[in-house]
Amino acid sequence: RRSVTYLAPDAIAMLSEQIAPLILQVMTTRAELGLFRLCQQMLNASDTPGWSYVQSKYPELVQNDDSFFASVHWHVVRLSLLASVLCVFGSAVLGLWVYRLPIVIPMMCILAASLFWRYKNNLYEQGFRASGQIAVSTVLGALKLLVAALVFSLLIYWYGIWGAVLALAAVSIAAGVGYEWVYRRPALIRRVTA
């Protein structure tokens, strides 16, 4: 029963990422949906180093030591920049020689630019969890889902698959900025959890 509260933010976060394919399948062709899913998979693979690193530090994050969190933050930022470069390079190789889809390269350049904020989003979400602030994580996740639904719907309607790519990057950046902004405002967090 206690673990259900920890499951809610995960379920909401997964929905905010999966809402794009649901909207795309209604508004675009099957080929465009497949292309977007390919880009989404490469982006998710690029998320893995940051996610794995933060998870490996989670037991220490639970101790709620600000200097340790700052150290993890510094490593996450560096890791995100390296992942962005590798994401662009890897997607160029896959796009040109494996999938024979050169259009993947500019799409992945846009998405790779959001990795810095995706890494931060994950770090701050885990920071909320580690300090027992599950309610804050759940509220932010729900807001992210609502924003994602709106942004994806509008941009896909206006620009098709390019709208989906732009929306994914925009939502990732907005989420990273939002999570960090809330994390650095303890008074706001106390109001949410009160």
Side-chain angles (χ1 to χ4, degrees), residues 54-67:
V54 173
Q55 286 301 313
S56 74
K57 302 299 179 187
Y58 188 81
E60 289 89 351
L61 287 174
V62 172
Q63 296 171 7
N64 209 14
D65 179 357
D66 288 339
S67 62

Side-chain angles (χ1 to χ4, degrees), residues 60-109:
E60 289 89 351
L61 287 174
V62 172
Q63 296 171 7
N64 209 14
D65 179 357
D66 288 339
S67 62
F68 181 76
F69 187 89
S71 167
V72 172
H73 179 270
W74 184 76
H75 283 92
V76 164
V77 166
R78 287 182 52 206
L79 197 54
S80 73
L81 298 175
L82 176 61
S84 297
V85 172
L86 292 176
C87 177
V88 171
F89 177 75
S91 62
V93 170
L94 291 172
L96 291 174
W97 290 288
V98 177
Y99 300 115
R100 309 262 186 225
L101 293 168
I103 195 170
V104 164
I105 299 168
M107 290 180 171
M108 289 309 299
C109 286

Side-chain angles (χ1 to χ4, degrees), residues 11-165:
I12 293 168
M14 198 169 16
L15 276 174
S16 67
E17 291 280 326
Q18 296 307 316
I19 200 163
L22 295 174
I23 297 168
L24 268 170
Q25 73 182 13
V26 174
M27 296 186 173
T28 62
T29 66
R30 196 175 152 107
E32 287 179 317
L33 173 61
L35 179 58
F36 178 77
R37 292 294 286 160
L38 181 65
C39 291
Q40 199 175 34
Q41 287 172 0
M42 287 189 278
L43 184 65
N44 289 340
S46 301
D47 281 336
T48 304
W51 182 85
S52 299
Y53 176 75
V54 173
Q55 286 301 313
S56 74
K57 302 299 179 187
Y58 188 81
E60 289 89 351
L61 287 174
V62 172
Q63 296 171 7
N64 209 14
D65 179 357
D66 288 339
S67 62
F68 181 76
F69 187 89
S71 167
V72 172
H73 179 270
W74 184 76
H75 283 92
V76 164
V77 166
R78 287 182 52 206
L79 197 54
S80 73
L81 298 175
L82 176 61
S84 297
V85 172
L86 292 176
C87 177
V88 171
F89 177 75
S91 62
V93 170
L94 291 172
L96 291 174
W97 290 288
V98 177
Y99 300 115
R100 309 262 186 225
L101 293 168
I103 195 170
V104 164
I105 299 168
M107 290 180 171
M108 289 309 299
C109 286
I110 292 168
L111 294 175
S114 71
L115 273 173
F116 174 80
W117 293 105
R118 289 176 70 85
Y119 274 48
K120 283 195 164 207
N121 183 167
N122 176 57
L123 172 63
Y124 288 109
E125 183 179 6
Q126 294 304 316
F128 288 128
R129 290 173 186 236
S131 58
Q133 299 172 76
I134 306 303
V136 175
S137 186
T138 304
V139 167
L140 288 173
L143 287 172
K144 180 181 176 183
L145 176 59
L146 291 172
V147 168
L150 177 65
V151 172
F152 277 114
S153 297
L154 290 174
L155 290 183
I156 289 171
Y157 178 75
W158 290 332
Y159 305 111
I161 188 170
W162 283 102
V165 170

